[in-house]
Amino acid sequence: MNGRYFVVFAFLMLINSVSMQSVHVVNANLGHSVILPCTANHRTLTVYWRYNDSKTVFDIIKGEVKFDEQDPVYKGRVGCFPLEFAKGNFSIKLSKLKKSDVGIYTCHFPSTLTPGTVQLRVTENRTGDVMRRPDSLLLFLLGCVLLSN
Ligand SMILES: *[C@@H]1O[C@H](CO)[C@@H](O)[C@H](O)[C@H]1NC(C)=O
Ligand SMILES: *[C@@H]1O[C@H](CO)[C@@H](O)[C@H](O)[C@H]1NC(C)=O
Ligand SMILES: *[C@@H]1O[C@H](CO)[C@@H](O)[C@H](O)[C@H]1NC(C)=O
């Protein structure tokens, strides 16, 4: 690769990694709870949490939680940390995770155009299944060896 192209390539990779950092990827287990992080870098007490830029997850208006517009899917499953508001921490806790919770969560501030973005992935805890399969395969093979003798 020509040196000049390499510099351009390295620069593009750098831009890519920097822009990637602004999206938090959060993995959580089905049925468990998860904290979706959001921090304000300016003074505010109003934050709108949205799912896939459509459903209302949670609204904090002038430091108070408003449930008026919350989508029924999130009813009773979202909590926040009011003691953290003064520090600009508007993270929320989403409980009893469902498969359908997978998607993009954004926290919008009235005075800024770019929202905080969290990508939630929900994984099923299949550790048990994965562990069992090699075991039964091993037993099957062992059985074959014993039978063939
Ligand atoms: C925000 O508050 C939550 C809940 O207390 C905590 O888990 C998280 O680490 C805090 N985030 C920051 C950036 O302080
Ligand atoms: C939300 O967005 C995610 C990823 O962009 C997509 O997989 C999911 O189907 C969307 N959910 C809804 C209800 O639109
Ligand atoms: C997966 O499930 C097992 C058994 O139910 C449990 O012991 C383990 O802690 C779970 N793993 C995670 C990451 O939650």
Side-chain angles (χ1 to χ4, degrees), residues 55-82:
K55 288 181 186 165
T56 298
V57 181
F58 206 71
D59 283 340
I60 301 163
I61 296 165
K62 294 182 183 146
E64 282 183 33
V65 180
K66 298 274 185 235
F67 292 104
D68 316 358
E69 287 175 29
Q70 186 180 45
D71 193 282
V73 208
Y74 301 105
K75 197 164 187 275
R77 294 202 295 136
V78 188
C80 61
F81 308 94

Side-chain angles (χ1 to χ4, degrees), residues 42-109:
H42 62 288
R43 284 193 160 271
T44 184
L45 281 175
T46 299
V47 177
Y48 308 101
W49 274 96
R50 294 290 177 271
Y51 168 76
N52 279 10
D53 268 329
S54 55
K55 288 181 186 165
T56 298
V57 181
F58 206 71
D59 283 340
I60 301 163
I61 296 165
K62 294 182 183 146
E64 282 183 33
V65 180
K66 298 274 185 235
F67 292 104
D68 316 358
E69 287 175 29
Q70 186 180 45
D71 193 282
V73 208
Y74 301 105
K75 197 164 187 275
R77 294 202 295 136
V78 188
C80 61
F81 308 94
L83 294 177
E84 300 281 325
F85 290 175
K87 297 182 218 162
N89 180 352
F90 297 97
S91 306
I92 54 171
K93 185 178 180 182
L94 181 59
S95 323
K96 296 178 198 143
L97 287 175
K98 305 172 182 184
K99 260 268 151 79
S100 53
D101 289 334
V102 167
I104 307 291
Y105 292 79
T106 45
C107 65
H108 299 259
F109 302 108

